[in-house]
Amino acid sequence: MPRTAATPVAPPSLSPSPTSRRRTSASVVLRSVLDHGPVARSTIARLTGLSPASVTDYCARFAELGLIREASAPRRSNGVGRPHVPVDLDDTRFVVGGVHVAVPYTTVALLDLRGRVVARRELKHEHTEPGRVLARAADGLAALLAGAPGCRPLGVGVAVGGWVDRASGTVVEHPLLGWRDVAVREMFGRRTGLPVHVDGHARALVNAERLFGLARESRSVLHLFVGNVVDAAFATNDEVHHGPRSQAGAIAHLPVPGGTEPCDCGRVGCLQAELSERTLCRRARVAGLTDGTNPLHVVGAAATGDREAARLLVERARAVGRAARLLLDVLNPETVVVTEVGIIHREDCLSALREEVGDARAASVVPTSFPDAVLAVAGGAVALDVLYRDPLAASPRLI
């Protein structure tokens, strides 16, 4: 729901339960502190449509839990009346763990309540067997927590590409990793003893954008992720669309007109086969630009003036733009956020993307808000989304 609007009242027959109302009210109060803090309680009441007494009660509970604190100096309103004591997030006590499982490596991180990365490590895969990958990630996360003794973990978010069933915490299928029906939440929770939340990385990043990024004021946002995995996520009125068993956003096999790359599905010209980082790096190897599989090496070659590297990146950005234009036509979001290595690092790639989208919508297409930490943020955002949706249930008292 919009942050500056009052909570809508449902018709009597559709009225939410008292528990649901409390959850929604707690969420909008904490989100208001996140968005506007330091902020007076009276301002929160005006922004949310809740009564001043309710806002005061929720703020007291959040302060008791250590999620917010009073600002050091009170503020006067126009110099008249009693001074207001603003409240703000307390981002010094708690962290969430963030885990992102990519094809070549896993990123483990700690994030504060504002979604900022406190610490992180990349763990290159020696094997992709899920038990080994998750065990190593749990050990890596434990090492980060040991290095931050003043921080208390609220939980862990795990973001993975492919088909991820958020409700069960299961990676249903990730062909590039060879994972099928992997009970990530159960396995990782057993290793860490912490609450674990699991989601697809595109949905995780659309949540990060609406909580902490450029899409905070947008009523609808589409996130397009183009890495080794290519997928998308869509949120409207602060709700991310999941679909039955969280299959929404699976765009890997959309056909690309004129595409020539063979896909593992047996067809030619599927979107992921055409745009994946594996394809980019293979083309770069053929051109003699690199002998590896790291797309940043292609970006580095372009930065030193290599025209072929720049051409490959711009060509890929144009193809991403055509995919974005198709999704814009179908979903018509206010904002489109694209995570793609060339678009993150090069203005010519961003320009090519926007040219393909078209002048009428070009300004609505932006690169990720987290260029230096996108994978770490993806993992942490899974847990932070849970916190901001139901802060009392996800409170430290229950951990």
Side-chain angles (χ1 to χ4, degrees):
M1 66 185 62
R3 292 174 183 76
T4 56
T7 304
V9 178
S13 61
L14 300 177
S15 294
S17 67
T19 299
S20 177
R21 286 197 298 269
R22 284 193 295 272
R23 181 170 57 245
T24 300
S25 297
S27 175
V28 296
V29 169
L30 191 60
R31 288 281 296 278
S32 293
V33 178
L34 169 67
D35 291 339
H36 303 287
V39 59
R41 295 169 180 82
S42 58
T43 302
I44 297 173
R46 176 174 56 81
L47 292 171
T48 63
L50 296 172
S51 70
S54 292
V55 170
T56 297
D57 178 61
Y58 283 115
C59 286
R61 294 169 76 178
F62 293 151
E64 179 185 356
L65 294 168
L67 298 176
I68 69 172
R69 59 184 174 185
E70 292 188 339
S72 57
R75 297 178 178 177
R76 289 190 176 274
S77 178
N78 298 321
V80 179
R82 297 177 59 189
H84 298 293
V85 180
V87 293
D88 203 356
L89 286 178
D90 188 343
D91 53 19
T92 63
R93 299 189 188 190
F94 300 109
V95 293
V96 297
V99 177
H100 179 277
V101 183
V103 175
Y105 59 87
T106 293
T107 302
V108 294
L110 302 178
L111 281 74
D112 69 14
L113 299 189
R114 296 188 186 277
R116 298 176 298 203
V117 177
V118 176
R120 63 176 162 174
R121 292 180 60 190
E122 290 181 357
L123 307 172
K124 188 173 181 179
H125 292 162
E126 299 172 354
H127 308 274
T128 58
E129 192 277 320
R132 295 185 182 185
V133 170
L134 295 175
R136 193 159 177 243
D139 292 343
L141 192 61
L144 292 183
L145 287 168
C151 295
R152 183 177 174 187
L154 295 178
V156 182
V158 182
V160 191
W163 177 7
V164 181
D165 182 359
R166 179 176 180 266
S168 65
T170 301
V171 175
V172 181
E173 187 176 28
H174 194 311
L176 296 182
L177 286 174
W179 289 15
R180 182 180 289 275
D181 294 325
V182 178
V184 173
R185 183 169 64 199
E186 178 185 343
M187 295 169 68
F188 210 80
R190 193 165 55 241
R191 295 280 309 192
T192 64
L194 293 169
V196 177
H197 312 281
V198 186
D199 208 346
H201 61 195
R203 288 191 295 267
L205 286 168
V206 88
N207 280 325
E209 293 288 346
R210 67 175 186 79
L211 284 170
F212 314 111
L214 295 172
R216 291 170 78 167
E217 301 302 325
S218 294
R219 289 181 179 269
S220 57
V221 56
L222 168 71
H223 186 274
L224 179 58
F225 185 96
V226 184
N228 282 305
V229 172
V230 178
D231 55 10
F234 180 62
T236 181
N237 290 329
D238 229 18
E239 291 292 336
V240 177
H241 180 61
H242 287 79
R245 212 183 174 194
S246 298
Q247 291 189 74
I251 61 172
H253 298 289
L254 288 178
V256 176
T260 60
E261 292 291 332
C263 181
D264 293 339
C265 73
R267 294 181 294 178
V268 173
C270 291
L271 188 63
Q272 182 167 289
E274 292 291 331
L275 297 184
S276 76
E277 289 178 349
R278 293 195 303 173
T279 299
L280 172 67
C281 290
R282 180 181 58 75
R283 291 172 177 172
R285 289 194 300 272
V286 170
L289 299 174
T290 178
D291 58 0
T293 58
N294 188 339
L296 287 175
H297 293 169
V298 186
V299 175
T304 62
D306 190 294
R307 291 184 179 181
E308 180 62 14
R311 185 192 67 78
L312 287 175
L313 292 168
V314 169
E315 183 180 81
R316 186 179 192 232
R318 289 194 181 281
V320 173
R322 292 191 289 273
R325 184 176 62 197
L326 173 63
L327 295 172
L328 269 164
D329 289 342
V330 174
L331 299 171
N332 194 31
E334 283 186 10
T335 303
V336 178
V337 182
V338 179
T339 298
E340 189 273 339
V341 65
I343 291 161
I344 289 172
H345 293 284
R346 293 183 62 86
E347 284 295 326
D348 57 352
C349 290
L350 179 58
S351 297
L353 167 75
R354 288 174 168 167
E355 285 174 12
E356 292 295 332
V357 167
D359 291 342
R361 301 299 301 270
S364 67
V365 182
V366 297
T368 176
S369 303
F370 317 103
D372 299 321
V374 64
L375 302 184
V377 170
V382 178
L384 289 168
D385 172 60
V386 173
L387 172 67
Y388 282 102
R389 287 190 183 279
D390 197 356
L392 296 178
S395 71
R397 178 178 293 168
L398 301 180
I399 296 175

